[in-house]
């Protein structure tokens, strides 16, 4: 937001002058440009320990993000620095190098057909489970098992941020969150919450459960012990059930969903009811519905003056009341809710 003086005759603020760049990149075939372009590849990111964030929104969020996020370099065209004068001062505050580049150089670094004029070189995300669980049970977490589509993974990170989740965990078979398409799909949310990759699913589930977090698996197959999400929301209105406490939502692969062993790790399988004629929901849409269901339940408890409290006992059982029974052992208990068609589609 501009803070300069206002011209009271027109009501407009004068355009802020962009901060001067520390250097210039003009040759798209220069060694440094080629090295930067390699950050779009897994091997290049692994060697450099860095990735590219593209577009003014993502770069602004990266510059404003607290540790462990760090921006090394901001690279922008003269036109982009003129349109977004806050980027120069932001780079200076963050201790990042600021380079002006030509459109040709930016085209080499951009992963889109219509580049937005600015990219940032950021340190790779190194957050671990200890960072997520160190301050007590997180109220809301998304756990992605073998999610491989960059757009889906990035959108789930963005939705999780919007729903108030504190972390997104990805198993080792999932897409790299530093993938340029993932980073773009997060729209800056990658820098707002803890994102942990390479987790072993069983370890993550056990550590979440030990911290008092109920693990809910999305499973649209009726007759397999799955609960109806509408019933869980009704139960949460009374301040009870798994949605009312800290929850981690487990989402499976786009094509195959959760396999039986993955589903068995969860405390409860939940299906999103389909009230119309649609056959299913895609992964990102189902994630939005489920994460916001937990957010709504937590908001209700907040209005009642109570923070979400763990519903998972030390032995790993999940407490319950009302019509919906929750898993209390390695076998599934019966769950309430109407039967329906599978609710979570796999693109």
């Amino acid at each position: 937001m501009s803070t300069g003086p206002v011209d009271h005759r027109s009501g407009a603020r004068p355009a802020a002058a962009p901060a001067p760049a520390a250097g210039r990149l003009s040759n798209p075939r220069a060694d440094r440009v080629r090295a930067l372009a390699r950050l779009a590849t897994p091997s290049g990111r692994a060697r450099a320990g860095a990735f590219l964030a593209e577009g003014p929104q993502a770069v602004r969020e990266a510059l404003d993000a607290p540790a462990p996020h760090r921006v090394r370099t901001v690279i922008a065209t003269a036109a982009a620095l003129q349109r977004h004068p806050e980027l120069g001062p932001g780079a200076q505050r963050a201790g990042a190098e600021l380079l002006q580049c030509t459109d040709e150089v930016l085209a080499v670094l951009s992963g889109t057909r219509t580049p937005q004029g600015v990219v940032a070189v950021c340190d790779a995300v190194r957050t671990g489970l200890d960072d997520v669980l160190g301050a007590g049970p997180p109220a809301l977490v998304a756990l992605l098992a073998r999610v491989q589509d960059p757009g889906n993974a990035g959108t789930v990170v963005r939705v999780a941020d919007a729903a108030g989740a504190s972390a997104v965990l990805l198993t080792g078979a999932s897409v790299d969150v530093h993938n340029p398409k993932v980073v773009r799909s997060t729209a800056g949310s990658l820098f707002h919450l803890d994102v942990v990759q390479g987790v072993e699913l069983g370890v993550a589930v056990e550590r979440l459960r030990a911290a008092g977090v109920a693990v809910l698996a999305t499973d649209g197959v009726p007759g397999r012990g799955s609960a109806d999400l509408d019933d869980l929301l009704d139960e949460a209105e009374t301040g009870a059930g798994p949605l009312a406490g800290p929850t981690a939502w487990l989402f499976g692969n786009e094509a195959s969903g959760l396999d039986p062993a993955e589903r068995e790790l969860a405390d409860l399988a939940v299906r999103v009811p389909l009230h119309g004629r649609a056959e299913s929901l895609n992964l990102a849409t189902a994630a939005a519905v489920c994460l916001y269901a937990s957010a709504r339940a937590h908001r209700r408890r907040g209005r009642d003056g109570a923070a979400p409290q763990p519903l998972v006992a030390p032995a790993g059982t999940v407490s319950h009341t009302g019509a919906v029974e929750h898993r209390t052992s390695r076998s599934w208990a019966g769950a309430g809710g109407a039967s329906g068609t599978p609710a979570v589609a796999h693109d």
Side-chain angles (χ1 to χ4, degrees):
M1 182 174 66
S2 173
T3 57
V6 177
D7 182 338
H8 296 287
R9 291 170 296 181
S10 64
R13 297 183 185 275
R24 180 177 173 82
L25 297 175
S26 58
N27 182 0
R29 292 178 294 278
D31 289 344
R32 185 169 189 187
V33 174
R34 291 182 177 182
L36 291 169
R38 284 195 288 271
L39 295 179
T41 68
S43 60
R45 292 192 294 270
R47 282 195 297 269
F51 67 100
L52 293 175
E54 182 178 355
Q57 173 68 15
V59 174
R60 277 193 298 265
E61 300 304 325
L63 290 171
D64 289 341
H69 301 293
R70 184 175 75 88
V71 178
R72 299 180 183 180
T73 307
V74 175
I75 306 156
T77 64
L81 290 173
Q82 190 69 45
R83 286 195 303 271
H84 308 286
E86 74 281 1
L87 294 177
Q92 186 176 26
R93 287 193 302 271
E97 178 186 26
L98 177 63
L99 298 176
Q100 184 176 311
C101 72
T102 62
D103 291 336
E104 292 76 16
V105 167
L106 203 285
V108 172
L109 302 181
S110 172
T112 64
R113 293 183 179 180
T114 55
Q116 298 182 62
V118 57
V119 297
V121 180
C122 306
D123 278 350
V125 175
R126 304 292 189 194
T127 310
L129 275 174
D130 289 341
D131 300 296
V132 174
L133 302 173
L140 183 57
V141 171
L143 178 53
L144 307 185
R146 297 178 294 110
V147 171
Q148 297 169 345
D149 180 79
N152 277 335
T155 301
V156 172
V157 171
R158 185 178 183 180
V159 167
D161 179 25
S166 58
V168 176
L169 314 180
L170 298 95
T171 64
S174 295
V175 65
D176 179 10
V177 296
H178 303 116
N179 179 300
K181 292 182 179 179
V182 177
V183 178
R184 283 198 301 275
S185 296
T186 70
S189 289
L190 178 63
F191 306 105
H192 294 168
L193 71 172
D194 289 332
V195 178
V196 183
Q197 31 181 20
V199 302
E200 198 281 310
L201 182 58
V203 171
V205 168
E206 288 307 318
R207 291 199 61 186
L208 286 164
R209 184 177 292 119
V213 180
V215 180
L216 309 181
T218 53
D219 181 16
V221 181
R224 198 156 59 186
S226 58
D228 186 284
L229 183 60
D230 280 350
D231 291 338
L232 296 184
L233 278 168
D234 290 343
E235 189 179 19
E237 288 294 312
T238 69
L243 296 187
T247 51
W249 283 98
L250 173 57
F251 304 105
N253 174 264
E254 294 90 345
S256 58
L258 294 167
D259 65 33
E262 291 168 338
R263 190 168 52 249
E264 178 67 15
L265 290 172
D267 295 300
L268 181 67
V270 180
R271 65 182 178 274
V272 179
L274 298 173
H275 301 298
R277 297 177 61 187
E279 179 185 5
S280 57
L281 299 175
N282 65 24
L283 171 64
T285 303
V289 172
C290 295
L291 290 165
Y292 267 92
S294 287
R296 174 185 170 185
H298 295 170
R299 181 169 176 263
R300 170 62 181 254
R301 287 183 65 87
R303 286 199 306 266
D304 294 341
Q309 297 298 313
L311 296 178
V312 179
T317 60
V318 181
S319 66
H320 68 281
T321 61
V324 181
E325 298 181 32
H326 306 301
R327 183 183 178 190
T328 57
S329 69
R330 279 297 180 193
S331 62
W332 289 97
S339 297
T341 56
V344 181
H346 307 296
D347 296 334

